[in-house]
Structures are given as C-alpha cells and as structure tokens.
Amino acid sequence: MKRFVLKNFLSSASPILGLDDKFGQRFILFTLLFFVSGCASVPSWQTDKDTTYSSPKGVLPIKIIGEGNLGSTELNQPQGIVIDAAENLYIVDSGNNRIVKCNPEGNFLKEAGGFGWDNREFNLPSYIAMDIGFSLYVTDTQNKRVQRFDNYLNFIQSISSLTQEKPFEHSQLKGIALSRNGELYLADSENDCIWKLDPQFINVEKFGGFESGSGALNDPQGLSIDTRGNLYVADSGNDRIAVYDPFGNFLKELGRSHLNRPFGVEISSSDVVYVANTFGDNLVALDENGNVLFKFGMRGRGEGEFNKPKDLKIFEGEKIYIVDSGNNRVQLLALIR
C-alpha cells in the first residue's frame, strides 16, 4: 500500500514540476529523502561529542597556564574556571579579586575586577558559570552576591539585588551552575544548602539543608549539571559528590570512600564524573555508580602534580582544565581512552 501511494505521488508530481517522468521521480525521491534525514538529525548545538567515546583510562599532562604574569599580575589562589565555545578560559583569580580571560594557548586577553563592593569589584570571588548566551556569572563570596558579565567582561547586573527576599545576607556563596532552562543554582557553604533561582532571578527555593536527611550537605562547593538536569554537588565536608534531581530531591551519593574534601565536580555528557579532589591533591574519575575509573596526580609542583586543586572543566570530551589553586596555575590535561 505504501509503495502504491508513493508511486502515484511521484508520478503525479513530476509533470507539475515540468520534469520528465523518469528523472522527475528520482529527483523528487532524492529531495524527500534529503529533507527527512535532515529533519531527523539533532541540531548542531545539541550534539553530544562525548557520548561515542569509550570510558577514560587516564590523563596526560599537556600544558601549564599561569606561569608568570597574566595581565597585571600572577595568579593568586585561583579557584573557579569556565570555558567558552572558542576554548577561551575565564579564571576566577580569587586572591587578586579579579576575573582573567585567556585564549586557548593560555595567553592573556583581558581582566576585570579589583577589591571592593561596587559593581565590577570583588571580595574573594569563588566560582564562575556561563549561560547559553555567553553571559558569565561569578559568585562574589564575601560581598554575598552574584555578578553577571558578558564574555568581554563588561558588567551587566548584580543578581542578588533582583530577588524578592534577601536570602544571601548571611551566606557564603560558592559553586554556581545554570540549567538549560536558565535556572540558577548556588552552593551556600555557610548555611550548608543549595539555592535555586528561577530564570528571572526573582523566586528562590532552598534544598540540601539539614532537613534533607541523607541529602544534607556539609560545606558544599562546586556544582555541575548533567544532560538530564540533575545537579552534582561537591559536598566537601561529607567527602562525597551528592546528586539531586532538578526539583532538589536527593538521588544518590558518589565517591565517599575515595574523596577527601572535594571542591570541584564536572559531569561529562557520557556520565563520567570528574572530581577535583582538593585535600587528596589529585583528580578522580568516577562512573555514574561511583566506581573509580582512574585517579591521577599527587601533591607537588611538577607537571601533573597538584596543590589543592579546586575546580575543573571538560572541553569537547577531550581535554580537562583543572585549577591548581595552591600552585597558582591552571593545568591542561588530555584524556586517554
């Protein structure tokens, strides 16, 4: 039946288009197949380059970024990092109260900040995130707010001033992450909880506090969101990664027997959980069930050695940038599969 309908359609459509019967039918069939295959494909911005990769077996040190001045001075206790689509790095240089932008080679491009409490000034900033519009969000920890910038480091707004309540007045805002829907998640290490703001940054919800039972947090730090919208929290004081669904319900914990005060977490699109294991001075990779895939590094100043690593980001499933805070630098590692 399907063949009959298709044959009749091709036969009737060819004369309408002014094409001879044989060539016209082939042309129309080719066009239909091309159109259908194009509609079935995933838009390029949603493609997942990491899902076809095998499980990682380890990493290989490639480069050290931050040896010497980056802009006005050297890095001083850097903490957070994010990477844009062009592989430019945005580093939270906490000890210098600034944000530093570098190109993929690690060369300085621009900086913004300085100590203070006015717009574009910081007091011990911690972590940084980027939305799909390339806006940057920085937790300005001691100023108890989040500052938003464009990717040229021009100030846009202070997020805390938009909320109906003032939940951050007694907070220590650390890790930050944004969902695909624009919801903003903030780790509060003072109140041991997660704040969730709606896309307009007005309504605020809280979860992960003492009332959460086995999901109660202790000194939460870095955050990451997987492809399903689940939130991964570096639950530093509990030596684990805590996982919540998008509504704040506790799902599971990972790595408790393998981690020591982790500050940074990054979940890949293939559900590999990479952890900056801060007090263990190493990088730990876990599968979605918490099994260790590999550990890398030890305390030191050499290549592939760390001193209190605090954050990390994956780029295109092939590279890991890890903030080696105590050594005042960023290390680039290549994944081995």
Side-chain angles (χ1 to χ4, degrees), residues 33-311:
L33 291 173
F34 180 81
F35 176 76
V36 170
S37 65
C39 290
S41 64
V42 179
S44 60
W45 60 271
Q46 291 183 344
T47 55
D48 193 342
K49 297 183 180 181
D50 196 31
T51 54
T52 58
Y53 293 150
S54 59
S55 296
K57 298 179 175 61
V59 290
L60 180 68
I62 298 296
K63 183 188 300 182
I64 292 176
I65 297 168
E67 292 184 317
N69 283 7
L70 281 178
S72 59
T73 187
E74 297 178 353
L75 295 176
N76 181 11
Q77 297 293 309
Q79 183 151 340
I81 188 170
V82 75
I83 308 168
D84 66 20
E87 204 176 349
N88 295 310
L89 315 180
Y90 302 83
I91 304 166
V92 180
D93 187 12
S94 186
N96 289 319
N97 294 297
R98 64 175 183 157
I99 307 302
V100 178
K101 180 178 180 179
C102 301
N103 67 14
E105 288 71 43
N107 300 317
F108 172 80
L109 295 176
K110 195 170 184 179
E111 63 184 288
F115 175 76
W117 44 88
D118 290 335
N119 293 337
R120 208 172 180 265
E121 295 178 337
F122 299 103
N123 187 356
L124 293 181
S126 298
Y127 290 85
I128 187 169
M130 176 176 281
D131 66 18
I132 59 175
F134 304 109
S135 287
L136 301 164
Y137 298 76
V138 183
T139 48
D140 187 6
T141 302
Q142 293 300 325
N143 282 329
K144 305 182 186 305
R145 64 184 180 181
V146 175
Q147 293 199 63
R148 183 183 177 193
F149 297 79
D150 65 20
N151 61 336
Y152 297 101
L153 303 186
N154 298 307
F155 175 80
I156 297 176
Q157 65 185 148
S158 178
I159 301 301
S160 58
S161 65
L162 301 180
T163 56
Q164 290 180 344
E165 302 171 1
K166 300 296 179 185
F168 309 143
E169 289 181 351
H170 305 287
S171 299
Q172 290 282 303
L173 301 178
K174 296 295 182 70
I176 184 168
L178 288 116
S179 73
R180 290 187 176 185
N181 298 324
E183 297 154 325
L184 185 67
Y185 294 87
L186 298 167
D188 182 353
S189 64
E190 178 68 22
N191 297 299
D192 295 323
C193 69
I194 301 297
W195 299 101
K196 178 183 176 182
L197 282 67
D198 66 15
Q200 291 73 43
F201 313 127
I202 295 176
N203 299 309
V204 183
E205 300 174 25
K206 174 185 173 184
F207 62 89
F210 68 90
E211 71 281 356
S212 297
S214 57
L217 299 167
N218 182 5
D219 192 22
Q221 298 286 329
L223 305 177
S224 185
I225 297 177
D226 69 14
T227 55
R228 295 175 293 276
N230 296 324
L231 181 72
Y232 290 67
V233 182
D235 188 9
S236 177
N238 286 324
D239 298 325
R240 67 177 185 174
I241 303 301
V243 187
Y244 301 83
D245 70 17
F247 305 101
N249 300 306
F250 179 69
L251 298 177
K252 61 183 176 180
E253 65 173 47
L254 304 172
R256 184 184 282 271
S257 60
H258 304 288
L259 302 177
N260 186 0
R261 298 297 300 269
F263 272 47
V265 60
E266 175 83 333
I267 175 76
S268 78
S269 52
S270 56
D271 292 326
V272 177
V273 182
Y274 296 94
V275 184
N277 191 28
T278 305
F279 280 63
D281 294 308
N282 63 355
L283 168 68
V284 178
L286 307 168
D287 68 17
E288 59 184 323
N289 297 313
N291 301 308
V292 175
L293 297 175
F294 69 84
K295 295 183 179 181
F296 175 81
M298 58 184 293
R299 189 175 181 87
R301 290 189 54 83
E303 194 175 51
E305 297 177 337
F306 303 102
N307 182 1
K308 300 294 186 293
K310 289 191 174 178
D311 198 14

